[in-house]
Amino acid sequence: MVERSIAGLQNSHPSEHSDEEVPTPMTKPPRITPIFDDTWFSMALRSIGDAVIATDATGRVLFMNPTAETLTGWKEEESRDRKLSEVFHVVNERTREATESPVEQLLREGQTGSHTNQAILVARGGRETPIDSTISPIADDEGAIAGMVLVFRDMTERRQSELLRARLAAVVESSDDIIITKTLDGIVT
């Protein structure tokens, strides 16, 4: 009986059983268009691998994704309505002096700014992480700054690689011996 029912469905026309077209190898399934609402954008920002913090026009934190929470040591709920400079504390790697607040820089210059060299993020618990960061204005329909978005990433592995490369170069430069290098295939370079 079950076989007869299945056979009957397979040989029947789709419109006899449903208002929807049944996808076949010759047709594409219907496309589902996402709804771009606050929930969708929040999920997208939380999914980004880089750290993201959004502020209002005065530089108070409105949003922080999980990567930003990890790097700053602040939970989003705790950071909300605090000044960005309290949550995002950056010092110069060499001088150990605090760098200019990215909010102040953006408000003064009115354009995207960045920390790309020797910037160290000092987390809430004191952990230090080398970072690259960019802050950009969020403009309203009339072009006025309605907020800011700060994107930053952990540069620890890159800095360690640069340091190792510099040390190797220093060894080569200071050596009085002939140094021969080979590729992994054994070819002398």
Side-chain angles (χ1 to χ4, degrees):
M1 179 128 148
V2 173
E3 291 175 13
R4 190 174 296 167
S5 299
I6 292 173
L9 287 174
Q10 289 174 338
N11 294 328
S12 65
H13 192 273
S15 62
E16 294 176 38
H17 301 284
S18 159
D19 291 339
E20 296 180 25
E21 184 177 323
V22 176
T24 67
M26 300 302 286
T27 64
K28 292 182 181 179
R31 184 172 179 193
I32 299 171
T33 305
I35 298 172
F36 296 111
D37 59 7
D38 291 345
T39 302
W40 188 92
F41 283 108
S42 178
M43 288 186 313
L45 288 172
R46 289 181 196 290
S47 300
I48 294 173
D50 288 339
V52 179
I53 299 175
T55 73
D56 64 14
T58 66
R60 294 200 175 273
V61 175
L62 298 174
F63 171 86
M64 179 183 288
N65 75 353
T67 306
E69 288 180 335
T70 299
L71 291 176
T72 64
W74 287 84
K75 293 291 183 194
E76 181 181 17
E77 300 79 29
E78 298 169 322
S79 68
R80 200 169 290 127
D81 293 325
R82 293 183 185 268
K83 289 185 177 186
L84 180 62
S85 57
E86 185 179 346
V87 174
F88 184 76
H89 178 67
V90 179
V91 298
N92 181 287
E93 186 173 20
R94 292 193 179 148
T95 67
R96 309 302 297 168
E97 293 178 11
T99 62
E100 179 182 25
S101 162
V103 171
E104 297 304 320
Q105 181 184 2
L106 187 135
L107 291 174
R108 184 183 70 251
E109 297 174 9
Q111 60 187 4
T112 299
S114 63
H115 288 109
T116 55
N117 292 319
Q118 293 125 18
I120 299 290
L121 174 65
V122 180
R124 187 177 194 183
R127 185 184 73 247
E128 296 184 355
T129 306
I131 61 163
D132 276 350
S133 66
T134 303
I135 189 164
S136 300
I138 300 171
D140 64 17
D141 292 339
E142 287 136 23
I145 294 177
M148 294 155 244
V149 62
L150 174 68
V151 179
F152 54 105
R153 67 204 53 83
D154 183 344
M155 299 301 289
T156 302
E157 287 182 24
R158 182 174 174 187
R159 295 273 175 88
Q160 288 172 342
S161 175
E162 290 169 354
L163 181 60
L164 182 60
R165 193 171 318 146
R167 286 181 182 163
L168 181 58
V171 167
V172 170
E173 287 177 22
S174 66
S175 177
D176 292 332
D177 296 326
I178 295 175
I179 298 176
I180 298 173
T181 60
K182 293 181 181 182
T183 66
L184 295 175
D185 298 325
I187 299 170
V188 176
T189 58

